[in-house]
Amino acid sequence: MVPLSWYIILSSVLFIIGTAGVLLRRNILIVLMSVELILNSVNINLVAFSYYLQDLRGQVFSIFVITVAAAEVAVALGILIALVRNRGAINVDDIRTMKG
Amino acid sequence: MAETVFFFIFAIIAVGSAVAVVTLRNPVHSVISLMVCFLQMAALFVLLRSPFLAAVQIFVYVGAVLVLFLFVIMMLDIRQASMERFVSGGHFWVIALLVVLIAEMIFIVSRSKFTNMAVATGSRLDGSVKEMGTALFTKYLLPFEVISLILLVALLGAIVLGKKELR
């Protein structure tokens, strides 16, 4: 029997790795992949709690998270293609039109 | 115990491939290791008795999202400049932020009351499609409709953004 804490620790480790990817990398594609990693680590947490509490809500929420992640990737890659087409930038540091 | 052994195999491969996603230089290699990571997560969902979610994970992430990533990477030509590994300046604050985050995670997980919880008795879930569908179409009908609207908006947004000329 695997204790719940192992799943929590695994998802926190994946969350930290994803956050490190968002903060440290400068390639915008890798930043998007790290965001996917963060969303998936949250999914592991939701499903683990759903199993250990025997409650369906965790699984339902994790389906919603997966859907929102898919929508987010479609829009983000569309923005990325428009950006590369208009100014040829794939580096996060070069994208500062909005002074962010 | 077989379950523990399988959990360790999946967890170690998942963490290793996640590290590879962040550290590899070439975005194509990152996508491949992200695929490995997502497959391990689907296996973990099976261990958690939710096979439907595991199938959805493989369909949506490995089948759709990662193929989209690969398409975009191969459409744009990756020049040498974009292969640079890490952010050049401002390392100190990023590292400090990460250390704070790690300390916070360790603190929260170690103080949590849920850590040695056993599987709840009473009503058993079997994670079947029937159970999930009944829940989605009765109790969670409004969120389900909202999520389908979000998908429609994302579809329109992707089409408009992908056009030749933005007006």
Side-chain angles (χ1 to χ4, degrees):
Chain A
M1 196 65 242
V2 183
L4 175 59
S5 56
W6 292 3
Y7 284 104
I8 299 178
I9 290 169
L10 171 67
S11 83
S12 337
V13 168
L14 289 176
F15 188 92
I16 288 169
I17 292 172
T19 317
V22 171
L23 290 175
L24 286 173
R25 290 302 298 253
R26 60 190 338 197
N27 188 335
I28 196 163
L29 282 162
I30 310 256
V31 171
L32 282 174
M33 285 180 221
S34 305
V35 171
E36 293 301 305
L37 207 57
I38 291 176
L39 288 166
N40 253 290
S41 72
V42 174
N43 269 348
I44 288 184
N45 230 343
L46 286 173
V47 178
F49 272 106
S50 160
Y51 173 56
Y52 279 87
L53 297 171
Q54 289 293 316
D55 191 330
L56 202 60
R57 273 177 284 187
Q59 294 188 31
V60 172
F61 265 81
S62 123
I63 282 211
F64 292 154
V65 170
I66 288 177
T67 321
V68 171
E72 172 245 326
V73 165
V75 174
L77 289 179
I79 292 175
L80 177 63
I81 287 181
L83 204 63
V84 171
R85 193 177 282 152
N86 286 330
R87 56 179 59 213
I90 199 171
N91 190 328
V92 193
D93 296 339
D94 295 344
I95 305 165
R96 43 177 69 226
T97 314
M98 295 177 80
K99 313 279 184 216
Chain B
M1 289 244 264
E3 200 179 328
T4 315
V5 173
F6 275 112
F7 174 82
F8 268 109
I9 293 173
F10 297 146
I12 288 170
I13 298 178
V15 170
S17 55
V19 170
V21 170
V22 174
T23 51
L24 282 180
R25 186 177 283 263
N26 191 337
V28 178
H29 299 166
S30 286
V31 171
I32 300 298
S33 34
L34 194 62
M35 188 187 76
V36 173
C37 190
F38 284 163
L39 287 175
Q40 304 312 310
M41 286 180 190
L44 285 172
F45 289 168
V46 173
L47 273 190
L48 288 167
R49 280 24 160 228
S50 36
F52 177 64
L53 261 185
V56 167
Q57 168 94 1
I58 291 180
F59 284 161
V60 174
Y61 274 114
V62 182
V65 169
L66 291 187
V67 171
L68 200 62
F69 266 114
L70 275 180
F71 262 166
V72 170
I73 289 174
M74 294 184 180
M75 227 170 78
L76 317 170
D77 56 331
I78 306 294
R79 295 149 304 156
Q80 207 57 35
S82 70
M83 307 258 275
E84 280 172 72
R85 196 165 281 185
F86 292 115
V87 179
S88 48
H91 254 310
F92 172 73
W93 290 108
V94 170
I95 301 289
L97 205 62
L98 278 177
V99 168
V100 168
L101 180 70
I102 292 169
E104 197 177 15
M105 285 288 180
I106 291 172
F107 180 73
I108 289 173
V109 170
S110 62
R111 297 294 295 273
S112 164
K113 286 175 185 164
F114 292 112
T115 47
N116 42 19
M117 195 166 68
V119 177
T121 50
S123 62
R124 303 295 296 179
L125 291 181
D126 54 354
S128 64
V129 183
K130 184 186 169 196
E131 226 174 29
M132 201 73 147
T134 313
L136 272 180
F137 283 106
T138 54
K139 200 173 171 190
Y140 300 98
L141 186 61
L142 181 66
F144 187 77
E145 295 295 333
V146 172
I147 218 83
S148 61
L149 200 67
I150 287 179
L151 276 181
L152 179 67
V153 172
L155 182 70
L156 288 177
I159 291 172
V160 170
L161 285 169
K163 270 187 175 174
K164 218 34 174 200
E165 290 206 354
L166 281 178
R167 270 166 300 169

